[in-house]
Amino acid sequence: MQSLAQRLEHLKSHSARLAGSDLRQLIAADAGRAERMSLRVDGLFVSFARQHVDAEAVQALLSVAQASGMAAAIPSLLNGAQVNRSEGRPALHSALRTVFDSPVASAAAAEAKAARDRMAAMTQQLRASGVTDIINVGIGGSDLGPRLALDALKDFSDGRFRIHFLSNVDAHSAERLLSELEPSRTAAILVSKSFGTQETLLNGALIREWLGGGERLYAVSANVPKAEAFGIAPERVLPMWDWVGGRYSLWSAVGFSVMLALGEQGFAEMLAGAEQIDRHFMEAAPEQNLPLMHALMAVWNRNAEGHSAQAVLPYDERLRLLPAYLQQLVMESLGKRVSHEGAAIEHDTVPVIWGGAGTDSQHSFFQALHQGTQVVPADFIGVIQPDHRHAEQHRVLLSHLLAQTEALANGDVGATPQQHSPGGRPTTLILLDKLSPKTFGALVALYEHSVYAQSVIWGINAFDQFGVELGKQLASKLLPVLQGAAQADDPVSAALVREINARS
Ligand code: F6P
């Protein structure tokens, strides 16, 4: 039996085989490629036609997936097996939106439903109150999901509440926000799975003081006693569970602000979109399986072609926060260097994820995508039907989206070396028929499951994040140094603290 390293090495032999044929040749030599290399799941269409693969390479990738045990790994995730092995627990974000009938998954789904019912009742109460502004206080997974969803789906809100986000411990952020708000008309939701995150607790304390007490404070946490100890009444604390990772938690009460904006129905539609992808991920054959195929292209680009970055380029202003959201989802999940068993792994894992909204990004960093020495594969994301009346302007936007993917693939000889664009730069195109709560939910779930499938192939845990702990521990040691109450262990930090304190 081949080892994982050997299987990934084998992919490199396909990459070497294809090295002489650039994308343009692959496309020209393969009639029907555009149709064959695309998948649709309801309102979501994805084209892989401009990835640097041929049918044989796709077969090799599918064999890698099969050898990794993907057929069992997908139901393991969705049925609630302990896929987060280092922490000994399942990763059941799918149970927040889909009832799969294993005992573990259906018990989790029942808890999720009860929490959603409470959240709906609290939404009604808040709507009936005089509150006009809501502050979501949280960071990382307790911030990025609702922030993205609300920015993307603003048009689906009736505007009953203005929703604000406070994440950074930099108090400039709080000062700026609070200067615009009136305490008597504001409520705050402290969102923290652990209720131990320093940034959130400090911002929460600042808000509590500004509000004049805990009366309009709400919390979402897996640590209910700590939330109550903070001064939040139990009837205003919504639960979370250790079986939902922070970066996968948008669908839980972490999305309270999303329900406040979209209403119970809009929130349910977002969950329904994700449910479609959960069921598709569970049931579709490998070569038809959208999250799996998306993951296989990521593996191809990383391990066979050796690309160390991946761009995310939403051609829709409403999805401009998607790159930031995916940075946490993908990089916190896949930024790992040991196997489940703790053995050092011999292959590359996560690329750097970055990006920005088109067309603005075209006028900033696209030069490097077209002519830089490093090839950066990119996901382009577009929406076919806009929600505005300016049809012609929307066609202009889509013309740019199509033009960029074509230019990156095909390049241009140019009259001078400076004008030469080499082409051969792979892209995936994701098209949403419309941006709605449902297609939005499907899009995010597509990425979640793609991340999981990548982790299965790479033999790593997508659900822990021990790498973020060391910095937190050192910050707690350096705070007393800045306060003048302790000495720094590290000589460079000691000198830097002297510099800072001399000028404070
Ligand atoms: O930065 C690490 C992290 O643990 C993320 O994984 C998480 O989403 C974020 O902090 C916030 O954690 P919590 O919800 O517990 O405050």
Side-chain angles (χ1 to χ4, degrees), residues 72-257:
I74 294 173
S76 288
L77 172 79
L78 300 172
N79 286 330
Q82 299 205 343
V83 291
N84 179 351
R85 289 202 246 155
S86 65
E87 297 176 302
R89 56 203 192 202
L92 267 172
H93 40 286
S94 53
L96 300 166
R97 57 232 185 176
T98 308
V99 189
F100 285 110
D101 65 0
S102 79
V104 179
S106 53
E111 286 191 67
K113 166 85 172 69
R116 215 155 48 236
D117 288 346
R118 278 192 62 211
M119 185 159 82
M122 283 156 74
T123 300
Q124 290 308 327
Q125 282 161 13
L126 266 167
R127 288 183 76 88
S129 76
V131 167
T132 54
D133 290 83
I134 307 280
I135 308 174
N136 185 97
V137 185
I139 197 164
S142 296
D143 166 70
L144 291 163
R147 202 190 272 261
L148 166 69
L150 284 168
D151 203 43
L153 301 173
K154 200 170 177 205
D155 299 341
F156 294 85
S157 158
D158 65 4
R160 169 66 186 79
F161 299 109
R162 283 185 297 260
I163 313 252
H164 314 272
F165 289 88
L166 184 58
S167 54
N168 198 329
V169 76
D170 179 350
H172 291 109
S173 182
E175 288 253 308
R176 280 193 184 172
L177 174 62
L178 299 183
S179 69
E180 295 166 7
L181 301 177
E182 163 58 44
S184 64
R185 292 204 306 269
T186 303
I189 313 167
L190 270 61
V191 185
S192 177
K193 179 178 168 183
S194 58
F195 225 82
T197 302
Q198 189 187 35
E199 291 94 324
T200 301
L201 294 182
L202 285 173
N203 275 330
L206 193 151
I207 296 285
R208 184 180 53 193
E209 194 191 327
W210 178 80
L211 285 173
E215 204 187 314
R216 281 185 308 288
L217 272 188
Y218 293 74
V220 178
S221 186
N223 195 336
V224 176
K226 255 187 139 178
E228 290 178 15
F230 191 85
I232 305 177
E235 64 273 16
R236 290 199 301 276
V237 181
L238 286 164
M240 258 188 98
W241 309 271
D242 68 0
W243 43 263
V244 181
R247 55 192 174 273
Y248 298 86
S249 65
L250 165 64
W251 328 93
S252 71
V254 168
F256 187 20
S257 57

